[in-house]
Amino acid sequence: MPAKSIEKINGADGSLERVLLRGQNGSSVEVYLFGATITSWKSQGKERLFLSEKAKLDGSKAVRGGIPLVFPQFGPGELPQHGFARTRKWTFVDAIEHGAGMVAHFELKENEDTLASKWPYKFVLHYTVDLTATTLSTVIKYENTDTREFSFTSLMHTYFRVPDIKDTQVTGLQNVLYADKIAGTQDEREGREAVTVAANEDRVYTDVPGVVSVQYGGERVSITRFNFKDIVLWNPWAEKAAEMSDFGDSEYNSMICVEVGTVASKVTLRPGQTVSCGQILAVEPAANSQL
């Protein structure tokens, strides 16, 4: 069995800097400093995240796949789409082994560009990535280092790799209200125990009460949130996929985004205040299929 290891790849060949943690039982996680974007998570030797074959890994735009970090704005607005955190270079603080796991810490602070933007506040984001044989935990501690109160929305834009979208279901959303961004409707109520996707979907499920799971091929990945209220469900389907230069025309068949965040309302921090939000992804045997 390969030993656990921590590797900092400095990009001397022109590639972007990244950190690779190798854990037990074929587990690993790769984090690019550009956006602190996780581009790969393997558990039991199997890749669990989707990364488009056309994803730009040169820093020219946000990475199409993995787990991009959205802050301080979800979606369109005064800032560029999904804010600036996913397209800034983060600082790698350290990485250590702890028991059966591996953990890495990253940090992002304001700079001249962000202070000159429409969101001109001083802040620190402390990002912790914790890997075990069957779990991946991603946590951000948001810290207001300004003299003024500020508000934001934030989200972890997780792209899950699935064998076939037609055989994939998402559970844990039944009876939850959602906004359908494709249909332009609000306050719809999810009636299905097992949500499936067969078209372009872009939904914001609000105040989700419990654990949500992505189930496929005899196993599932459970998503446990803390201090994030909402879940975004997204798949571009064929027509939208064809419009994206960094996404393969047929790749919608092998991915689904189930994204944890607080986006339907804002988080507000007073000067000196902090809040930590995150998710734990866990690979488990599948429950009885509803398909």
Side-chain angles (χ1 to χ4, degrees), residues 136-156:
L136 178 68
S137 169
T138 59
V139 180
I140 299 177
K141 182 171 79 170
Y142 305 84
E143 181 179 1
N144 183 348
T145 56
D146 208 287
T147 57
R148 300 164 291 172
E149 180 178 277
F150 63 59
S151 298
F152 62 90
T153 50
S154 186
L155 171 137
M156 295 175 176

Side-chain angles (χ1 to χ4, degrees), residues 70-76 82 142 152-157 179 181 202-207 227-233 259-267:
V70 172
F71 172 89
Q73 171 190 290
F74 170 70
H82 288 334
Y142 305 84
F152 62 90
T153 50
S154 186
L155 171 137
M156 295 175 176
H157 199 306
K181 296 171 71 175
D202 192 355
R203 297 181 173 190
V204 179
Y205 290 85
T206 56
D207 296 317
N227 289 336
F228 276 139
K229 296 180 178 180
D230 308 321
I231 291 281
V232 175
L233 180 70
E259 314 159 23
V260 303
T262 296
V263 298
S265 58
K266 291 187 176 182
V267 179

Side-chain angles (χ1 to χ4, degrees), residues 154-167:
S154 186
L155 171 137
M156 295 175 176
H157 199 306
T158 307
Y159 290 73
F160 290 97
R161 176 175 293 280
V162 299
D164 189 336
I165 188 61
K166 295 189 294 295
D167 298 325

Side-chain angles (χ1 to χ4, degrees), residues 204-224:
V204 179
Y205 290 85
T206 56
D207 296 317
V208 179
V211 175
V212 173
S213 295
V214 181
Q215 185 166 305
Y216 52 84
E219 60 186 354
R220 66 182 177 188
V221 179
S222 67
I223 307 165
T224 302

Side-chain angles (χ1 to χ4, degrees), residues 8 35 41 50 62 69 77 85 130 135 144 146 166 198 207 209 215-216 218 241-242 249-250 265 272-273 288:
K8 172 73 160 41
W41 167 42
F50 168 84
L69 302 177
D130 196 332
T135 67
N144 183 348
D146 208 287
K166 295 189 294 295
D207 296 317
Q215 185 166 305
Y216 52 84
D249 289 355
S250 62
S265 58
Q273 190 175 13
N288 291 332

Side-chain angles (χ1 to χ4, degrees), residues 24-276:
Q24 294 183 335
N25 300 331
S27 65
S28 66
V29 63
E30 181 179 62
V31 189
Y32 275 67
L33 298 194
F34 178 73
T37 305
I38 294 174
T39 55
S40 172
W41 167 42
K42 293 180 180 178
S43 176
Q44 301 165 13
K46 182 177 180 179
E47 180 61 62
R48 304 294 171 171
L49 299 179
F50 168 84
L51 180 67
S52 174
E53 292 181 355
K54 293 188 174 182
K56 302 295 184 183
L57 297 176
D58 58 3
S60 62
K61 65 185 303 183
V63 176
R64 179 67 69 186
I67 311 181
L69 302 177
V70 172
F71 172 89
Q73 171 190 290
F74 170 70
E78 293 187 322
L79 299 173
Q81 173 86 357
H82 288 334
F84 50 70
R86 65 183 186 149
T87 54
R88 309 299 309 187
K89 183 178 179 181
W90 291 54
T91 299
F92 171 51
V93 179
D94 61 23
I96 59 171
E97 296 185 26
H98 67 100
M102 313 282 290
V103 63
H105 300 100
F106 305 86
E107 187 175 87
L108 182 70
K109 297 181 179 180
E110 79 284 343
N111 63 15
E112 290 182 0
D113 290 340
T114 65
L115 289 173
S117 75
K118 296 292 187 177
W119 198 85
Y121 303 101
K122 295 181 179 180
F123 68 92
V124 184
L125 302 185
H126 309 268
Y127 187 39
T128 301
V129 176
D130 196 332
L131 174 74
T132 73
T134 58
T135 67
L136 178 68
S137 169
T138 59
V139 180
I140 299 177
K141 182 171 79 170
Y142 305 84
E143 181 179 1
N144 183 348
T145 56
D146 208 287
T147 57
R148 300 164 291 172
E149 180 178 277
F150 63 59
S151 298
F152 62 90
T153 50
S154 186
L155 171 137
M156 295 175 176
H157 199 306
T158 307
Y159 290 73
F160 290 97
R161 176 175 293 280
V162 299
D164 189 336
I165 188 61
K166 295 189 294 295
D167 298 325
T168 301
Q169 56 189 20
V170 180
T171 60
L173 297 172
Q174 191 173 30
N175 295 321
V176 176
L177 294 177
Y178 67 89
D180 188 328
K181 296 171 71 175
I182 304 300
T185 58
Q186 301 283 334
D187 294 332
E188 300 280 348
R189 188 175 298 276
E190 181 58 72
R192 295 170 291 177
E193 180 180 353
V195 176
T196 56
V197 173
N200 181 10
E201 295 282 11
D202 192 355
R203 297 181 173 190
V204 179
Y205 290 85
T206 56
D207 296 317
V208 179
V211 175
V212 173
S213 295
V214 181
Q215 185 166 305
Y216 52 84
E219 60 186 354
R220 66 182 177 188
V221 179
S222 67
I223 307 165
T224 302
R225 293 160 296 119
F226 48 97
N227 289 336
F228 276 139
K229 296 180 178 180
D230 308 321
I231 291 281
V232 175
L233 180 70
W234 181 74
N235 182 294
W237 216 250
E239 183 176 351
K240 184 69 174 178
E243 297 174 358
M244 295 187 288
S245 63
D246 59 349
F247 193 95
D249 289 355
S250 62
E251 287 185 320
Y252 69 91
N253 286 300
S254 57
M255 56 75 64
I256 188 168
C257 284
V258 183
E259 314 159 23
V260 303
T262 296
V263 298
S265 58
K266 291 187 176 182
V267 179
T268 299
L269 294 180
R270 300 184 303 274
Q273 190 175 13
T274 66
V275 64
S276 293

